[in-house]
Amino acid sequence: MFKKILIANRGEIALRVMNTCREMGIATIAVYSDADSMALHKINADQAVYIGKSDPADSYLNMDKIIDAAKETHADAIHPGYGFLSENADFARRCESENIVFIGPPARVIDDLGDKTKARLIMKKGGVPVIPGMTQSCPDHAVMAKEAKKIGYPVLIKAAAGGGGKGMRVVDSETEMEDACNQAQSEAKAAFGNNAVYLEKYLKKTRHVEFQVLADTRGNVVHLLERECSIQRRHQKIIEETPSFAMTPELREEMGKAAVAAARASGYVNAGTVEFLLDTDGKFYFLEVNTRLQVEHPITEMITNIDIVRQQIQIAAGMPLDFTQNEIRGRGHAIECRIYGEDPENSFFPSPGKISYIKEPAGPGVRNDCGVYSGFEVPMEYDPIISKLIVYAADRKEATCRMINALSQYVVMGIKTPIAFLMDVLASEQFQEGETFTDFIETSFDGWKQNADDADLAALIYIIDEMAGKKHRQSGICLSKVNETPWQTLGNWRM
Amino acid sequence: MEYELKVNRDNIHVDVDAQEDRGLRASICRKIEENTDKDTDKNLYDVHYDIISDHRILMTVDENGHARQVNAYVSDGPEGKTIAINGRYYLVKDLETQRQRGGKGSMPDTPDLITPATPAVVVKIHVKVGDCVEKGQKIIAVSAMKMETTLCAPYDGKVLKINTAINERVAPGQILVEIEKSEADQADTSGKEID
C-alpha cells in the first residue's frame, strides 16, 4: 500500500480524500496556491507544498509544479479529486512516466471517453443504448441539417470535447441550424480549444440518472447502484439523491448491466460514473462517462456503506475488489445538497468573499463535507462550492425532512448561499412527488425569491443586536480601557 | 424609540420600548407603497432576549400566552446586518442612519457605470479608447469563480478611458471603463430642459 498520497486539489474534496488516507494510515500532502495559504485543506494535511499563484494555470492546473511537489515529498501516488487535472490524460501519462501512481483510470481510457463522439461509438459497439445522432463530429451545418431531418427536430448540438453545458445549443428547426452551429463551434473553441461539434436528438422531459462503477485491474467490474441528479442550474447539479424516484428493480438491473458493459467496452479501471438520460417511458440513453471521483459520490457511500475513495486507492495499488455485484445492497435513502457561494435570487451569480461566521449542522444521518471555516476568504479564482450537505435516512420522505431540518440549522454568513432556496425546493410538491426532470428549476423555480415570513423577527433581532449586542461584545474588551469619555461608551443612542 | 428598517425588500417601521430584564415591547408595520403614508396593520410583539454569543441571539416571543423561542444568527457587513433565522437570510439596514451618513448606503447603485458586481479578474476588453459604442455593446468581460460575465455599454457614447488591463483583479465600485455619453443620448434623457 502507498505510504504517502499527494492530493492535487483543494477545498472540500481534498479534505474528503485526506480523511480516508488518514483512516488507511497513509500520509497526506496538500498543494496550495497564494489564495489558499490559509485554506482548510492546506492547514489539515500532514505536509503542504506551495505551488504558485492563485490563477489555476499557475497552480492547480500546472503539471510541472504538482509533479515536482510529489517528487520532493516522495509521494507514491497522486489523487486528483474532481475538476482541475482529474480528467487530463496527459497528466495521467506524465504521472506514469515519473513513476507516480495516478489514482484514476489509464490515460488511454481518459482520452477515449473525453472525446464524446468516440465515447458514443465505443458504447454503440458495446451494445449500450446511445441517443440517436452522429458518432463523428461535423464542421458543416448543411450535413447537420440533413442528419437533423433524419432524426427529427428538436436536436442538440454538442461540443465533442464538451462538458458543463459549454458549446451546447438546442435547435428547433432548420432555419436556426446555421447560426446555432456557428455559435456552438465558437463557444466550444473558446472553452476547450477545439471547435468540433456533433449532433444528437434533443430529448424532452428526461431525468439524469447515473451509475457509479468500480473496476479493478483484474477485470472485475461492479456498479454501486444509481444516483438521480436531475435538479440542475446552468447544467450543473445542485441536488442529488439515491435511489432514483423513477427506478424499479427491473430497470435498475437493466441500467446497471448497461453501465458495467460501458465500463468493460472502454477498458475502464478505477472508479467512474456512467451517465444516462432516462425518459418518461423508461427508455434510457448513454450520455457520457465521468472518469473521476464524482462530486456527488457521498450519497452512494451512505446507502451502500462502501468508501469509494478507499476503493479508488486500493484499486490503484493493484488490489482486487473484495466484493461481488451480488453483495452490493442499497439501504435507505440519501440526498445531497451542494452549498455554493452564489446568489439564488440573482441567477445563481457567484458570491465570493469572507465567511464571517459558519455553523455546520449535525445530528443523526447528517454529513457535511466542508472546505471552509469562519474567517476564511472564499477565493474568486475557483469553483464556488463550499460544502456538500448529505443526509441519510430510512426512506425518501424521512431523508427529505432530515435535509430540510439540517439546512435550517446551517448558518453561513458573509457570502450568499442557496440554503433557503434548497429548503423551498425540497419542500415543494413537485420534489416530494418525484416530479424531478432536468428542467425542474427553469420550469418550477425560475425567478425564485425568498419569502419574507420572518421579516418582523429579523427586524427585532436587528434592534436587539444594536441595543444589547454591541455592549455585550465590548464588555470583555472594554475592561482594559480606562480613559473613555461618555461619547465612546454610550454607543448608539437616539431620542 | 423608532426605527425605519429595510429588511430585504420590505420597508419596516418599528416602534419599540425597552422593558426591564432584557425585554422589548414593539409594534411593527410596513409601508404598502413607497412615498405614501399608507401602512399595514400593526403587529404587536412582546419579546425577551438572551445574548448567547457574539453571533447568536435567543429571542422568546410571546404568542397568545405561549412563549416561542427563536434562534437567530447575526453578522455585521458593509451594507447592514445579515440575520439568519431557520435557514432564511435577511439583510437588515437602518434607513435613518444611512440617511444621516448622507448616502443611500455604503454601496452606491451604479447601473450606469462599468463596474463588476463582485470581486473578479478582467479576461477580455472589447473596446479601445476613442471607440464609439452603442448601448448594449460588449465592453469588458470579467470572471469570478469560473463564471464569465460581460459588462455592456449603458448608453451610446465614446470610450474616454480604460482604467484596467487583462488579468487585473478588480472590485465592485471600481470604474473599469469610462464612457462619455453621446450628445444625442444626453438630449434624449434631458430633452425637456433643452426645449
Side-chain angles (χ1 to χ4, degrees):
Chain A
M1 185 44 69
F2 308 121
K3 290 197 169 57
K4 267 188 185 182
I5 292 178
L6 180 139
I7 299 152
N9 215 301
R10 62 179 302 283
E12 68 84 18
I13 196 61
L15 287 146
R16 158 72 192 89
V17 173
M18 257 175 233
N19 275 326
T20 292
C21 289
R22 291 243 162 91
E23 289 166 22
M24 296 176 76
I26 299 169
T28 56
I29 298 148
V31 291
Y32 67 96
S33 68
D34 282 330
D36 278 338
S37 61
M38 286 297 156
L40 204 54
H41 78 278
K42 185 261 176 185
I43 300 171
N44 277 18
D46 294 322
Q47 261 179 290
V49 182
Y50 170 74
I51 51 166
K53 293 206 180 84
S54 305
D55 187 331
D58 294 324
S59 47
Y60 299 105
L61 286 173
N62 189 314
M63 297 188 207
D64 288 338
K65 286 184 179 163
I66 289 170
I67 296 286
D68 285 349
K71 283 168 136 177
E72 188 189 308
T73 53
H74 304 289
D76 317 294
I78 294 181
H79 195 300
Y82 55 69
F84 294 125
L85 294 169
S86 62
E87 292 177 280
N88 187 315
D90 290 337
F91 183 63
R93 228 169 259 126
R94 181 76 192 276
C95 289
E96 203 180 321
S97 70
E98 303 278 358
N99 276 323
I100 301 165
V101 175
F102 174 79
I103 302 176
R108 180 190 47 78
V109 176
I110 301 177
D111 261 338
D112 287 352
L113 296 172
D115 180 336
K116 306 295 170 208
T117 49
K118 204 166 181 182
R120 279 165 62 82
L121 199 60
I122 292 170
M123 295 308 149
K124 228 174 158 178
K125 282 185 183 159
V128 180
V130 300
I131 301 170
M134 299 172 156
T135 44
Q136 262 182 334
S137 61
C138 166
D140 185 356
H141 63 88
V143 178
M144 288 229 171
K146 215 172 146 192
E147 177 77 17
K149 210 167 182 182
K150 211 169 80 191
I151 59 177
Y153 287 95
V155 294
L156 188 62
I157 301 177
K158 284 170 103 172
K166 296 259 166 65
M168 229 153 84
R169 281 285 180 290
V170 180
V171 188
D172 290 313
S173 69
E174 195 168 335
T175 50
E176 297 168 21
M177 184 60 85
E178 188 175 347
D179 281 351
C181 192
N182 291 337
Q183 284 168 9
Q185 282 178 343
S186 66
E187 212 174 285
K189 175 86 184 159
F192 314 109
N194 176 352
N195 70 353
V197 293
Y198 70 101
L199 185 137
E200 56 184 42
K201 176 120 182 101
Y202 178 66
L203 302 170
K204 283 182 179 163
K205 205 112 168 125
T206 52
R207 293 170 192 266
H208 176 113
V209 176
E210 60 186 30
F211 276 71
Q212 175 73 52
V213 294
L214 291 175
D216 66 17
T217 51
R218 327 277 171 101
N220 301 309
V221 185
V222 297
H223 72 80
L224 304 185
L225 314 169
E226 82 278 7
R227 296 186 284 256
E228 178 171 341
C229 322
S230 301
I231 301 182
Q232 310 181 352
R233 54 117 188 76
R234 284 200 296 271
H235 302 283
Q236 273 185 332
K237 305 156 185 170
I238 53 168
I239 299 178
E240 300 100 342
E241 62 178 313
T242 182
S244 162
F245 189 88
M247 203 51 70
T248 61
E250 298 74 35
L251 185 58
R252 181 175 293 120
E253 169 120 19
E254 202 187 334
M255 289 182 79
K257 271 189 184 148
V260 168
R264 287 196 193 282
S266 57
Y268 207 87
V269 178
N270 214 292
T273 297
V274 186
E275 298 188 331
F276 298 101
L277 288 179
L278 175 65
D279 70 14
T280 44
D281 300 328
K283 281 212 279 296
F284 62 92
Y285 305 91
F286 169 78
L287 200 58
E288 62 179 40
V289 179
N290 289 318
T291 57
R292 53 168 153 85
L293 182 65
Q294 202 91 333
V295 177
E296 60 273 22
H297 75 278
I299 55 173
T300 299
E301 297 186 321
M302 303 303 266
I303 66 152
T304 59
N305 214 12
I306 291 170
D307 178 337
I308 295 171
V309 174
R310 180 184 280 262
Q311 294 301 321
Q312 282 193 297
I313 294 169
Q314 289 178 353
I315 291 167
M319 293 163 67
L321 289 174
D322 50 14
F323 43 77
T324 62
Q325 189 67 59
N326 289 334
E327 294 170 81
I328 295 159
R329 289 272 177 277
R331 286 184 65 234
H333 199 98
I335 304 177
E336 173 182 281
C337 283
R338 299 192 190 184
I339 311 298
Y340 282 108
E342 63 182 21
D343 183 1
E345 291 192 337
N346 181 15
S347 320
F348 299 94
F349 202 81
S351 170
K354 189 174 180 166
I355 295 181
S356 53
Y357 179 73
I358 185 168
K359 184 179 82 76
E360 298 183 47
V366 176
R367 162 178 170 180
N368 192 37
D369 283 17
C370 184
V372 300
Y373 54 88
S374 289
F376 179 64
E377 182 99 27
V378 180
M380 61 165 163
E381 284 86 356
Y382 311 117
D383 193 87
I385 200 161
I386 61 166
S387 90
K388 298 176 327 206
L389 179 59
I390 303 119
V391 299
Y392 171 72
D395 58 29
R396 190 171 190 265
K397 204 175 162 196
E398 275 184 32
T400 305
C401 296
R402 184 161 283 176
M403 180 58 92
I404 293 172
N405 183 44
L407 284 166
S408 77
Q409 290 173 26
Y410 200 169
V411 182
V412 183
M413 307 283 238
I415 60 168
K416 295 231 160 68
T417 71
I419 288 174
F421 172 80
L422 292 163
M423 284 170 62
D424 282 0
V425 169
L426 290 160
S428 71
E429 209 180 301
Q430 298 98 300
F431 181 84
Q432 300 200 347
E433 287 178 2
E435 290 290 312
T436 49
F437 299 94
T438 49
D439 61 356
F440 183 92
I441 288 178
E442 293 149 53
T443 53
S444 305
F445 281 86
D446 194 35
W448 174 89
K449 296 270 186 261
Q450 181 188 280
N451 72 46
D453 291 356
D454 286 339
D456 283 7
L457 299 181
L460 291 171
I461 293 290
Y462 179 95
I463 294 165
I464 292 168
D465 194 62
E466 280 290 292
M467 286 171 36
K470 285 271 160 51
K471 272 183 231 156
H472 166 83
R473 251 163 256 165
Q474 285 167 359
S475 63
I477 315 159
C478 284
L479 291 173
S480 58
K481 292 190 190 168
V482 277
N483 295 323
E484 277 168 337
T485 71
W487 301 108
Q488 283 170 316
T489 49
L490 258 176
N492 290 340
W493 59 279
R494 51 184 84 205
M495 290 160 53
Chain B
M1 281 186 292
E2 292 188 21
Y3 284 83
E4 294 291 342
L5 301 178
K6 183 152 194 151
V7 182
N8 287 353
R9 290 172 300 276
D10 296 346
N11 284 334
I12 290 184
H13 178 91
V14 188
D15 205 334
V16 64
D17 280 322
Q19 308 284 307
E20 271 184 20
D21 196 24
R22 303 188 306 281
L24 285 183
R25 190 159 285 165
S27 109
I28 294 183
C29 60
R30 54 195 73 199
K31 292 258 183 300
I32 294 177
E33 285 166 59
E34 292 264 4
N35 306 322
T36 64
D37 290 330
K38 248 192 188 167
D39 290 340
T40 57
D41 288 341
K42 285 188 167 69
N43 292 327
L44 300 176
Y45 292 90
D46 222 339
V47 306
H48 175 89
Y49 61 84
D50 290 287
I51 309 294
I52 307 298
S53 70
D54 277 1
H55 289 284
R56 186 173 185 174
I57 293 171
L58 171 67
M59 182 165 76
T60 310
V61 186
D62 186 73
E63 281 177 356
N64 308 320
H66 298 283
R68 174 184 163 206
Q69 296 206 120
V70 176
N71 276 275
Y73 295 83
V74 188
S75 172
D76 288 303
E79 292 187 73
K81 290 181 198 290
T82 302
I83 291 165
I85 301 172
N86 292 329
R88 312 235 170 245
Y89 291 74
Y90 301 90
L91 176 64
V92 187
K93 304 177 199 183
D94 188 327
L95 294 172
E96 197 176 320
T97 53
Q98 285 187 352
R99 232 173 274 134
Q100 282 168 7
R101 270 189 240 137
K104 282 192 227 162
S106 56
M107 195 61 73
D109 230 9
T110 54
D112 269 10
L113 300 173
I114 309 277
T115 184
T118 67
V121 171
V122 175
V123 289
K124 259 179 236 146
I125 301 176
H126 295 284
V127 293
K128 53 187 189 304
V129 173
D131 280 3
C132 287
V133 295
E134 281 174 31
K135 183 178 174 177
Q137 188 178 330
K138 289 179 186 173
I139 302 295
I140 193 164
V142 296
S143 165
M145 294 175 139
K146 300 204 318 195
M147 190 164 140
E148 208 173 290
T149 316
T150 300
L151 305 173
C152 298
Y155 36 70
D156 291 358
K158 192 172 167 185
V159 177
L160 272 190
K161 215 172 155 198
I162 294 175
N163 299 321
T164 186
I166 302 276
N167 289 331
E168 198 173 89
R169 285 158 162 265
V170 292
Q174 201 175 331
I175 312 303
L176 308 184
V177 177
E178 292 174 32
I179 298 174
E180 184 183 45
K181 226 179 215 183
S182 75
E183 279 168 29
D185 227 39
Q186 276 172 11
D188 210 7
T189 50
S190 54
K192 271 178 193 159
E193 282 161 50
I194 287 171
D195 279 341

